[in-house]
Amino acid sequence: MDKAYAGAFVGRTHHFALRVYFEDTDVAGIVYYANYLKFMERARSDMLRAAGIDQRAAIKAGEGVYAVAEVQIRYRTPARLDDELVILSELKEVRAASALIHQRVMRGPEIVAEASVTAAFLSLDGRPKRQPRDWIERFERLKGEAD
């Protein structure tokens, strides 16, 4: 598996850095609200990759795929053009067919936005399916590092 990813785990928290580009903002130079979901999606994908989960191989093998089933997001303060952000992602709960992930978009010590995301594991025809056992074990180990 490719080891060239942008983020890394610090304890049980995955850190993913990015910069706000012009394309991420509205005419006032403020990040458009929907783009926070894109930033968080990139961070979650990178977190899985850093945990040793190969989503592309799982799709190719017909095992299944993650899809966001629910998001609760709170916007606290706007991010702006050229801001350096870090998305912190923590696995909060692991179930047979889903995982609950808490994510915070940070600008230095300031929380810009935060969300709770439920990622469901689905068969390729879109039905809920048990996650691969070794994935659940990896998630439980990551979750347990702070316990």
Side-chain angles (χ1 to χ4, degrees), residues 22-118:
F22 187 77
E23 68 184 16
D24 301 320
T25 65
D26 61 17
V27 72
I30 296 172
V31 172
Y32 181 66
Y33 78 96
N35 285 335
Y36 291 98
L37 297 172
K38 291 179 181 183
F39 298 163
M40 291 177 187
E41 177 67 34
R42 290 179 203 153
R44 282 192 312 279
S45 293
D46 197 77
M47 178 184 78
L48 291 174
R49 187 177 300 111
I53 308 258
D54 188 341
Q55 294 187 90
R56 186 171 50 184
I59 294 167
K60 208 171 181 180
E63 290 179 12
V65 63
Y66 284 108
V68 172
E70 182 177 352
V71 175
Q72 293 178 342
I73 189 165
R74 181 171 180 212
Y75 303 97
R76 293 178 174 256
T77 188
R80 299 181 183 279
L81 179 63
D82 211 35
D83 279 354
E84 293 180 5
L85 305 176
V86 176
I87 292 83
L88 305 177
S89 304
E90 287 185 23
L91 195 60
K92 292 297 186 181
E93 191 175 328
V94 180
R95 301 181 195 122
S98 66
L100 177 63
I101 303 158
H102 182 253
Q103 294 186 279
R104 289 173 288 157
V105 178
M106 307 294 295
R107 180 178 45 226
E110 181 179 32
I111 299 174
V112 174
E114 63 183 322
S116 290
V117 180
T118 301

